[in-house]
Amino acid sequence: MKILIYFLLSLCLMSEVAFAVKAKTTTKEAPKKNTPFDVYELKGEQDGSTLLVIGGIHGDEPGGFFAPALLMDLYKVKKGKVIVIPNLNPDSILAFRRGIYKDMNRKFASIKRNDPDFDNVQAIKKIITSEEIDFIINLHDGHGFYREKWENSIFNPKAWGQTYVIDQKTLDNVPFGDLDSIAKQIESKLNQSLHYDFHTFGVRNTETRIKDEEQQNSLTFFAITHLKPALAIETSKNITELPLKTFYQISSIEALMEILGIEFERKFELNLENVAKKINDFGTLVINDNITLELSDIRNIINFTPLLAQKNHFEFTHPLGRTKRTKEGYEVYIGHKRITLLRPDIFPMQCDVKALEIELDGKASQAKFGETLDFQQNFLVKKLDGVRINVIGYSKKGIVSEHDILINKANIDGRYSLDKAKSIFRVEAYQGRNFCGMVNLRATK
Ligand SMILES: [Zn+2]
């Protein structure tokens, strides 16, 4: 079961109110604030340990945020609980930078109230220290490949890549406090299923309390000083294939769940090929409840996207989906990947029509706005009083509304499809000045 918890909402509302009051007396710009992160729960029917998985603290480490996104989408927990945060630092993920408000992982010992990361850091601290949490992992991609002895600038003891990082060997008298032994169990399991021998994982103990002052500002050190066992999983930035990094991350999380006694089922077979497929599945974007875009094969630019002048509502199925307003329109992102640009065509949407009747290859169907329907040869949109139909990529001289016309797929210009494969076409309905909605028709073979 997935539950999206809007626990940050009250915090945000409070600060907005505070700002509104302040705005009367000052002309200063609104203080910068990171976007709130999302929290999902995978809860088993049987009670057991609770694991907190944190991804995306560093925005340029995609192994660290695609792994939790896949985890929450493709796993069912049967015993115990997994709390998944795929995007702790949303604005940095969008910018594909380590930290656009500086390094968030150096803000856990102290942070100023006006720091843009303040709300997110406070909120994650609250979750980390909550009673139910038994173990915490913080996911990264680090430089190089860790080796106990110096080999060269890439393979050496200072590298972070392919490591399980612990701050100290044990956390005494705490369940699962034997960090060194847990990390070594994961390490030995992972090292049996490497895709290349040189991807060997190691355990790196930073001995934070006595040796590493900088690391004392980190999330994991905050956790262990609050008696919560924690470790960081680092795949390597030098592994450029995102599916492979994500595969290693997910395999490590599975190994840890087994140690913690968390029982789970997967909705797929865990191998590199399937992980690659899932990473390239961007899901759908529903806009204003009247347009649905399938994102996996969408064109780089969608022209004349019917949108409201403001307050457009975007809903992604992918946990890393986001839009970014630019001069040209709305850029659509999955994680750090820019998927498409929606160039807006602005309309009011006061419309009382919710569906169209369409004959697909001669067979009548009801098509709600936002639905995708298949046809093989041709389609015909039935007349609705007062509604203008526009089939994008089709035109016939002198016709204002393209209803009651049998349209063959060969009559539509493929350049106007939504997808790169030139198979999905837009049927749009208008009432007066208002845009009512879009139905997608997919030509199949
Ligand atoms: Zn990192």
Side-chain angles (χ1 to χ4, degrees):
M1 189 174 55
K2 287 175 216 160
I3 308 169
L4 186 54
I5 306 169
Y6 293 98
F7 70 96
L8 272 175
L9 192 65
S10 56
L11 205 62
C12 295
L13 286 175
M14 268 161 52
S15 52
E16 264 179 35
V17 170
F19 173 68
V21 173
K22 212 171 137 201
K24 283 183 186 167
T25 54
T26 170
T27 53
K28 261 193 210 165
E29 265 182 54
K32 263 194 203 137
K33 238 179 215 313
N34 208 331
T35 303
F37 55 82
D38 300 312
V39 184
Y40 301 87
E41 268 187 22
L42 305 170
K43 192 175 183 305
E45 279 172 14
Q46 259 184 290
D47 288 344
S49 312
T50 298
L51 168 66
L52 172 60
V53 177
I54 301 171
I57 193 169
H58 290 143
D60 61 347
E61 300 177 7
F65 46 84
F66 274 92
L70 262 60
L71 186 72
M72 54 139 296
D73 205 25
L74 300 170
Y75 283 71
K76 183 174 189 283
V77 169
K78 292 163 68 187
K79 183 181 177 191
K81 195 199 258 188
V82 181
I83 298 176
V84 185
I85 294 165
N87 59 342
L88 186 64
N89 191 347
D91 291 358
S92 297
I93 292 174
L94 195 65
F96 200 45
R97 281 171 53 192
R98 182 179 180 83
I100 61 166
Y101 311 121
K102 297 200 178 138
D103 190 344
M104 189 191 272
N105 206 23
R106 293 290 174 269
K107 297 179 180 178
F108 283 81
S110 68
I111 182 168
K112 290 206 172 93
R113 183 69 185 85
N114 62 357
D115 189 304
D117 287 332
F118 182 85
D119 286 353
N120 285 21
V121 169
Q122 294 308 105
I124 193 65
K125 279 181 172 178
K126 207 172 159 194
I127 298 175
I128 288 169
T129 52
S130 67
E131 204 194 323
E132 65 170 339
I133 302 294
D134 295 303
F135 206 99
I136 297 144
I137 44 175
N138 193 15
L139 311 181
H140 298 260
D141 293 338
H143 283 290
F145 295 90
Y146 176 74
R147 293 292 183 271
E148 280 179 20
K149 293 205 173 75
W150 183 277
E151 292 172 24
N152 56 45
S153 62
I154 301 206
F155 297 85
N156 62 64
K158 295 226 142 124
W160 292 105
Q162 305 301 91
T163 55
Y164 302 106
V165 186
I166 55 175
D167 293 283
Q168 60 194 45
K169 278 203 161 181
T170 61
L171 206 51
D172 293 336
N173 304 317
V174 174
F176 308 117
D178 199 347
L179 298 171
D180 188 54
S181 139
I182 288 174
K184 281 180 175 150
Q185 284 175 65
I186 306 172
E187 172 201 25
S188 78
K189 179 140 196 227
L190 261 283
N191 285 344
Q192 286 163 30
S193 56
L194 298 172
H195 275 255
Y196 300 92
D197 287 343
F198 69 96
H199 289 170
T200 330
F201 278 87
V203 174
R204 183 171 165 181
N205 180 358
T206 51
E207 299 181 67
T208 304
R209 203 180 293 270
I210 44 173
K211 280 194 183 162
D212 197 332
E213 215 168 300
E214 202 188 325
Q215 202 70 15
Q216 289 175 11
N217 302 309
S218 71
L219 182 150
T220 53
F221 191 70
F222 171 84
I224 65 159
T225 52
H226 289 78
L227 302 179
K228 296 289 189 181
L231 57 83
I233 300 177
E234 301 251 9
T235 41
S236 177
K237 281 195 165 102
N238 298 60
I239 299 174
T240 50
E241 309 100 300
L242 178 56
L244 185 49
K245 287 196 275 203
T246 308
F247 172 79
Y248 286 145
Q249 289 276 2
I250 288 193
S251 304
S252 305
I253 297 168
E254 278 199 4
L256 176 61
M257 289 198 285
E258 277 163 27
I259 294 165
L260 300 176
I262 295 173
E263 293 172 15
F264 57 87
E265 267 171 14
R266 274 188 233 114
K267 298 173 192 165
F268 74 128
E269 196 192 326
L270 180 58
N271 58 44
L272 186 56
E273 198 190 343
N274 285 340
V275 170
K277 250 189 242 163
K278 296 295 175 189
I279 283 180
N280 290 317
D281 179 357
F282 302 137
T284 59
L285 165 61
V286 175
I287 307 171
N288 298 326
D289 273 328
N290 56 23
I291 295 175
T292 299
L293 300 175
E294 296 186 19
L295 298 178
S296 298
D297 187 44
I298 197 165
R299 286 182 181 276
N300 297 333
I301 297 173
I302 302 296
N303 287 312
F304 303 108
T305 313
L307 291 170
L308 293 163
Q310 49 192 331
K311 294 197 174 161
N312 287 288
H313 182 72
F314 297 99
E315 195 152 329
F316 291 87
T317 53
H318 198 291
L320 298 173
R322 266 190 84 178
T323 56
K324 180 174 150 190
R325 189 83 171 95
T326 67
K327 265 186 280 175
E328 288 187 280
Y330 291 88
E331 292 179 344
V332 175
Y333 285 81
I334 297 296
H336 63 298
K337 295 172 187 240
R338 185 180 178 280
I339 305 299
T340 187
L341 166 70
L342 307 177
R343 288 213 175 109
D345 201 2
I346 303 298
F347 292 97
M349 299 191 188
Q350 305 297 319
C351 216
D352 52 27
V353 183
K354 296 281 171 231
L356 299 175
E357 201 178 309
I358 305 180
E359 283 178 12
L360 302 160
D361 302 306
K363 223 179 125 197
S365 293
Q366 272 287 111
K368 287 195 198 105
F369 295 131
E371 273 187 327
T372 300
L373 300 178
D374 290 349
F375 74 100
Q376 289 186 343
Q377 297 301 329
N378 56 52
F379 62 88
L380 180 149
V381 183
K382 297 284 238 178
K383 180 180 164 67
L384 262 181
D385 280 337
V387 175
R388 181 170 64 85
I389 299 298
N390 188 5
V391 178
I392 310 297
Y394 175 84
S395 68
K396 198 174 174 186
K397 269 210 176 127
I399 300 283
V400 178
S401 175
E402 288 148 358
H403 59 252
D404 288 347
I405 303 172
L406 189 68
I407 297 176
N408 204 288
K409 69 178 171 190
N411 302 138
I412 312 175
D413 188 335
R415 290 175 300 173
Y416 292 90
S417 68
L418 285 168
D419 59 334
K420 291 174 186 155
K422 300 183 180 177
S423 68
I424 304 176
F425 296 94
R426 301 156 55 167
V427 176
E428 299 178 0
Y430 295 84
Q431 217 173 19
R433 291 168 51 241
N434 295 282
F435 171 73
C436 304
M438 186 190 292
V439 170
N440 302 339
L441 294 186
R442 176 169 40 210
T444 59
K445 279 176 191 137

